[in-house]
Amino acid sequence: MKIPATMRAVRKLMPGAGLQLVSVPVPTPGPRDVLIRVRAAGICGTDYHIYTWDAWSQQRIKPALTIGHEFVGEIVVCGSEVHTLEPGMRVSAEGHVTCGICKFCRTGRGHICRAVKGLGVDCDGCFAEYVVVPEHNVWRVPSEVPDRHAAVYDPLGNAMHTAMAASLSLRTVLIMGAGAIGLFAVAIVKVAGAALVIVVEPNQYKRTLAAEVGADVVLDPASDDVLARVSDLTDGYGPDVILEMSGNPKAMQQAFRLLGNGGEICLLGIPAGGVQVDWAEDIMFKGITIHGITGRRMFETWYYVDEFLLRHGARIDPCITHVLPFEQIEEGFALMRAGTCGKIVLEFPI
Ligand SMILES: [Zn+2]
Ligand SMILES: [Zn+2]
């Protein structure tokens, strides 16, 4: 396959809000990297943060940078030291590039590597016609998995990692927040055998999606008495498991209040600042277990996502509400701002 000299890429060219669609040279893979032609990519909340240039982006992002980290594509070039992959393979990739030699990497916990680099955060990402990824990070996609599903391995993996941290089978599960990852989590916990799935979400559009994906009960924190309803639904005990996907300090406090004695709470949503929790009443006396979740386990989570997509992939169809040509990424950000979308997938010319 002939590789062109230049490609289109969505880049942050300088500090400040906004992104530019520009022409840049196609990157050259190093000896242990592959060059992938992108077929489809998911827009993540992280991309939206970089687009709006929030406080986190200002201290983390060093322009110029091509953003994006959730994708599926086809390998077009392999570096000279790449032995397990070849051109033509359809692949996704783990967006966390780990050091491979620290204490955490060497004990199978690369997701908490302290020298981790993020694709589309610390190095050029996938909102471009081509992207370079280390061989170690590449994940081969089964042929039965369509592009729109394969593009979201990464956020589906976040939901999977969070859900699988707790014991779900025949448990009552509450999911706080129904953004794209919360919605994926609903589908996952249903498949994993939860007895009852309650979703708490303030946005009407997202509540409707949560019900479509299979939530048994969907509550609006603005109009429902969440404490009373959840207590009724769980015989007064509170849920066995809470997946915190909102990152909203008020919702997080409520989650700790709602969780039943001996319960498990898995925290994925990232709050902008500190969150106050009553340690004695809501953690110690209740004897709960808190799981802090970041990224995906490499690569245990990816095997789970494979199994899920192969056998239950159709369940996430309602979560993917928009598929747009990648040139229309601004429209995607507008939908995210309005809160009238689930997951948005960008399509590239192939
Ligand atoms: Zn993401
Ligand atoms: Zn490491």
Side-chain angles (χ1 to χ4, degrees):
M1 182 184 180
K2 198 172 158 357
I3 314 295
T6 60
M7 65 176 188
R8 288 174 299 161
V10 176
R11 286 170 69 80
K12 176 74 82 182
L13 292 179
M14 61 197 80
L19 290 162
Q20 287 77 37
L21 179 62
V22 293
S23 180
V24 290
V26 171
T28 308
R32 294 197 172 139
D33 302 329
V34 296
L35 180 69
I36 299 166
R37 180 168 186 151
V38 179
R39 295 169 62 96
I43 307 183
C44 179
T46 301
D47 304 316
Y48 184 75
H49 290 309
I50 299 172
Y51 170 74
T52 59
W53 203 240
D54 68 353
W56 170 82
S57 309
Q58 289 170 33
Q59 52 86 23
R60 179 69 181 267
I61 305 296
K62 308 270 173 280
L65 177 83
T66 301
I67 70 160
H69 55 273
E70 309 172 354
F71 74 98
V72 61
E74 184 183 327
I75 296 178
V76 288
V77 177
C78 291
S80 57
E81 300 293 319
V82 172
H83 302 301
T84 65
L85 302 168
E86 51 193 59
M89 287 177 173
R90 197 166 66 105
V91 298
S92 183
E94 166 60 55
H96 287 167
V97 180
T98 58
C99 78
I101 52 169
C102 73
K103 176 180 177 181
F104 308 107
C105 285
R106 297 181 82 175
T107 50
R109 298 174 294 167
H111 63 294
I112 48 170
C113 169
R114 284 170 64 173
V116 70
K117 285 197 168 52
L119 190 72
V121 172
D122 304 302
C123 56
D124 283 338
C126 67
F127 288 172
E129 289 170 291
Y130 295 87
V131 61
V132 166
V133 175
E135 174 183 25
H136 176 77
N137 286 60
V138 171
W139 186 260
R140 287 188 67 186
V141 174
S143 59
E144 300 92 324
V145 175
D147 279 353
R148 68 179 189 287
H149 292 171
V152 298
Y153 262 88
D154 167 306
L156 195 54
N158 287 133
M160 185 67 77
H161 183 187
T162 311
M164 298 307 270
S167 170
L168 300 169
S169 176
L170 297 177
R171 301 289 181 96
T172 53
V173 179
L174 184 144
I175 297 174
M176 198 57 103
I181 296 178
L183 292 169
F184 288 148
V186 173
I188 290 165
V189 300
K190 290 297 282 189
V191 167
L196 174 74
V197 181
I198 305 166
V199 170
V200 179
E201 165 60 52
N203 176 309
Q204 166 69 55
Y205 183 94
K206 294 175 183 181
R207 281 201 303 278
T208 307
L209 287 178
E212 240 180 283
V213 181
D216 299 297
V217 180
V218 181
L219 301 175
D220 175 4
S223 62
D224 291 311
D225 183 341
V226 173
L227 275 172
R229 290 291 308 280
V230 171
S231 176
D232 280 352
L233 289 161
T234 55
D235 276 343
Y237 285 116
D240 300 312
V241 175
I242 294 187
L243 310 183
E244 208 309 301
M245 305 292 200
S246 76
N248 177 302
K250 276 216 169 89
M252 295 177 86
Q253 282 172 333
Q254 188 172 54
F256 278 94
R257 185 60 39 86
L258 287 167
L259 185 62
N261 290 6
E264 294 178 81
I265 184 165
C266 309
L267 305 175
L268 182 78
I270 304 166
V275 176
Q276 236 186 338
V277 175
D278 188 329
W279 279 52
E281 291 295 336
D282 289 340
I283 299 177
M284 298 160 71
F285 298 156
K286 293 210 294 196
I288 66 162
T289 303
I290 303 172
H291 302 276
I293 307 288
T294 186
R296 296 146 296 280
R297 296 190 70 95
M298 290 165 237
F299 280 84
E300 181 187 16
T301 305
W302 290 76
Y303 285 99
Y304 285 140
V305 173
D306 253 5
E307 292 297 341
F308 179 83
L309 284 176
L310 278 169
R311 288 163 230 291
H312 307 283
R315 282 181 177 261
I316 64 163
D317 280 331
C319 314
I320 301 169
T321 53
H322 298 78
V323 179
L324 302 172
F326 96 101
E327 297 89 342
Q328 291 173 25
I329 189 168
E330 288 272 354
E331 193 183 320
F333 289 131
L335 288 162
M336 289 170 85
R337 185 183 306 115
T340 50
C341 60
K343 193 68 181 177
I344 301 171
V345 170
L346 303 172
E347 274 185 330
F348 289 71
I350 44 174

